[in-house]
Amino acid sequence: MSRTEQEFDLVVIGNGAAGDNIARTLGREGLRVALVEAAHLGGECLNDGCVPSKALIEVAREARWRPIGWDEALARVHAVQLLVRGNDPSGGFDRDGVALFWGEARFEAPNRVTVNGSVLVAKDVVVATGTEPGLPPIPGLAEARPLTNRTIFRLAQLPRRLAVIGGGPIGLELGQALHRLGARVTLFEALERIAATEEPEVSLELQRLFEREGIRVVAGTRIDRVERQASGEVTLSTPDGTFVVDDVLVAAGRKPVIPAGLEGLGLQRDGRGFIAIEPCGRTSVPGVWAAGDVTGKFQFTHYAAYQAHHIAKHIAQDVCEPVPEAIVPWAIFTDPEVGHVGLTEAQARERGLPVRTGLLEARELDWFRTSGQVEGFAKVVVDAETGALLGAHFLCARGSTLAGEAALAVQHGLTARQVASTIHPYPTAGELFRWACAKAV
C-alpha cells in the first residue's frame, strides 16, 4: 500500500444535503467514512441556494415598509448563513466518525478516488455532487457574464435595472426580492406562463400580483441575443423588441456536476445529462451510488435527504431495494407563497381519473383578514368517485407550510371529507386547506 493510500468502507463525494446525511449516518454506525468536498460545507442550499435566498426574501419583505440598502441586506443574509453553518469550520465530522478531505475528487477506478494527492479506496462510493447553474443557449449570453444564484449574494452593488431569465422558483423568488430592494426587474420566461409546473390559476394570479408590484413579466417569448455593450449596459433582443438593462440574472435550469474520471468507467446518464440510477440508488458503475440533485429526480433539499436516508440503509445492509415512492411537496417562496402537493387538475384528467375540485379564496377566512394577507387561494383536486385527495395547491401566506399538511393527507389516502371534518385551530392559515376540502365534498 502506497504512503498516501487510505482504506475506508465508504467514500462520499459532496457535502450537500444528500452527502452529509449519508456520511454522518454511516459514520455514526461505525463505518469508516471519507467525505470529499471541493468548495464549502453545506452544499448549494446553505451557500448559494435555500438559506441565503430565504434570508434575502425576509429582508426584502421588510424593505416594503422601510428603506434597506444592499449592503445591509447582504450583511443580514451572511449573518443567517453563519448562524446555520455553526462555529465549527470542520463541520464536526470527526465527532461523527467521518474523515474530511478538501479538493476535487477524481475516479481512477470504481472503488478508487484521488483528492489532492491522497488515494481513497472503498468498497462503496457515493456521488452527491449536486448541480450548478445552467446557461440557456442564447447567443451572446455567456459572453455577457450574467449573474447566477452563485454570484448574486456576493454582488457589490444592486443593479438599477435587472433582467431575470427564468420564471421558475429561483427566478421568481430572487426577482421579487431584488425588486423590493430597489432593482427595476423585468422577468423573462420562454413558456406561456411563469411557474409553469403549477395550476394555471396559480401562475396567472402570481403574474398579476407581480405586475401590480411593478415587476414586468415577459412570458411566451424567446430571447434571440444578449449583448453587453462597452458602456456596461446589457441588451436583450426579442421578437417583441429590445430591452436595455444594467445586468442579467440567469435562473433557467441546472446542470449536473460529474466528478472527473467517472464517465470513463461506463457511467450512464439520462436524456437530460443527470446520473441514471437504479431505483435503489446504484449507478451503472459497480460499487458507485448517486444521491441528491445530481440524479435529477426532485431537486429539493428535503427530497435529497429522504433519498439519502434510504441509500444509506442500502449501503449499510448491502441491499438494493427501491427507495419508497412518496408524495413530494414543494414550495416557491414568493409573497404570497406557492405550495404544491400531488396532481394538478390537468394531470389527474390526463390519467383518466374522475375529478372534482374545491377552491377557496384566502380573503374569506379570518386569519388572512386579521393578518392583512388576503391575496391568493387554495385549490384541491379530488377523485370524484372515492373522494380521495389527489392534489392540493396553494397561493397564499404560509402556503409552504400548508403544503406539508396536504402532503400528509395525500400520501396516506385521506379523503376531502376526512380533512374537512378535522377540527383546526381558529383563526389559523391551516383552516384554508380544511375549508377548500369542504368545497370539494
Side-chain angles (χ1 to χ4, degrees):
M1 181 181 293
S2 66
R3 182 172 59 87
T4 57
E5 188 171 289
Q6 301 178 58
E7 288 192 357
F8 295 90
D9 299 307
L10 172 68
V11 173
V12 178
I13 306 173
N15 180 239
D20 190 85
N21 184 297
I22 293 173
R24 292 185 193 273
T25 296
L26 296 183
R28 291 166 184 160
E29 292 184 4
L31 273 68
R32 296 169 300 165
V33 178
L35 174 67
V36 181
E37 173 52 47
H40 39 219
L41 299 180
E44 190 84 5
C45 185
L46 172 58
N47 295 284
D48 305 304
C50 321
V51 171
S53 67
K54 304 311 169 278
L56 188 72
I57 287 166
E58 289 305 313
V59 176
R61 192 190 309 274
E62 187 178 328
R64 299 191 73 185
W65 316 118
R66 73 171 184 91
I68 296 179
W70 182 242
D71 288 345
E72 179 186 347
L74 284 190
R76 289 173 59 177
V77 167
H78 296 154
V80 170
Q81 287 179 294
L82 287 174
L83 180 65
V84 174
R85 184 178 289 117
N87 54 16
D88 187 341
S90 66
F93 286 106
D94 53 344
R95 296 191 298 271
D96 292 322
V98 177
L100 177 60
F101 292 83
W102 289 100
E104 296 281 351
R106 172 179 288 275
F107 277 86
E108 289 188 347
N111 67 337
R112 190 178 179 90
V113 174
T114 62
V115 54
N116 280 341
S118 295
V119 181
L120 313 180
V121 180
K123 173 177 174 289
D124 293 293
V125 179
V126 174
V127 177
T129 41
T131 62
E132 61 187 1
L135 293 185
I138 300 172
L141 179 59
E143 292 76 11
R145 304 181 305 282
L147 300 166
T148 69
N149 71 292
R150 288 193 171 180
T151 57
I152 192 68
F153 301 111
R154 291 179 285 278
L155 195 62
Q157 185 175 353
L158 184 65
R160 184 171 60 89
R161 300 167 298 175
L162 179 68
V164 177
I165 299 178
I170 296 174
L172 293 171
E173 292 176 1
L174 292 181
Q176 186 183 46
L178 296 170
H179 166 76
R180 290 180 170 185
L181 288 166
R184 288 168 47 195
V185 171
T186 302
L187 183 75
F188 293 88
E189 170 54 56
L191 300 176
E192 291 300 320
R193 53 188 176 92
I194 61 173
T197 58
E198 310 307 318
E199 288 279 15
E201 299 98 319
V202 170
S203 298
L204 295 174
E205 178 64 6
L206 186 60
Q207 178 170 333
R208 186 188 72 80
L209 294 173
F210 267 39
E211 291 173 337
R212 192 177 72 180
E213 276 197 40
I215 300 169
R216 184 173 185 179
V217 178
V218 182
T221 192
R222 70 178 186 275
I223 299 174
D224 294 320
R225 184 166 186 81
V226 175
E227 188 173 359
R228 188 175 290 275
Q229 307 297 324
S231 64
E233 292 181 327
V234 181
T235 59
L236 297 89
S237 301
T238 77
D240 301 317
T242 299
F243 298 80
V244 181
V245 297
D246 297 302
D247 220 329
V248 178
L249 169 65
V250 175
R254 312 285 299 179
K255 61 181 181 179
V257 176
I258 308 297
L262 184 55
E263 292 204 78
L265 300 176
L267 179 72
Q268 291 183 4
R269 299 216 228 174
D270 65 19
R272 299 174 300 151
F274 293 89
I275 294 180
I277 57 173
E278 296 179 37
C280 66
R282 282 180 175 160
T283 73
S284 57
V285 180
V288 178
W289 308 71
D293 288 3
V294 75
T295 67
K297 299 294 183 183
F298 294 95
Q299 294 181 46
F300 307 118
T301 297
H302 48 282
Y303 182 74
Y306 175 82
Q307 184 188 44
H309 167 77
H310 291 280
I311 291 175
K313 183 187 75 171
H314 299 161
I315 293 171
Q317 299 177 0
D318 195 24
V319 299
C320 186
E321 300 171 352
V323 173
E325 291 292 330
I327 297 296
V328 181
W330 65 76
I332 304 175
F333 293 88
T334 48
D335 181 14
E337 296 177 344
V338 175
H340 179 121
V341 179
L343 300 179
T344 64
E345 180 181 353
Q347 289 169 337
R349 294 191 187 281
E350 286 169 4
R351 297 188 182 189
L353 296 172
V355 171
R356 188 166 60 245
T357 64
L359 189 146
L360 183 64
E361 293 190 5
R363 67 180 66 251
E364 296 188 44
L365 296 183
D366 289 350
W367 182 86
F368 296 93
R369 293 166 175 164
T370 57
S371 70
Q373 302 175 86
V374 297
E375 303 293 351
F377 56 88
K379 177 180 178 179
V380 296
V381 182
V382 175
D383 187 308
E385 293 181 352
T386 67
L389 276 165
L390 302 173
H393 308 277
F394 305 95
L395 176 65
C396 60
R398 302 192 180 177
S400 60
T401 302
L402 291 172
E405 180 185 352
L408 182 69
V410 176
Q411 174 77 27
H412 295 284
L414 297 187
T415 66
R417 185 176 298 278
Q418 286 174 314
V419 174
S421 63
T422 300
I423 298 175
H424 286 57
Y426 168 89
T428 61
E431 290 184 293
L432 186 65
F433 179 44
R434 178 190 184 186
W435 296 120
C437 286
K439 289 264 189 175
V441 171

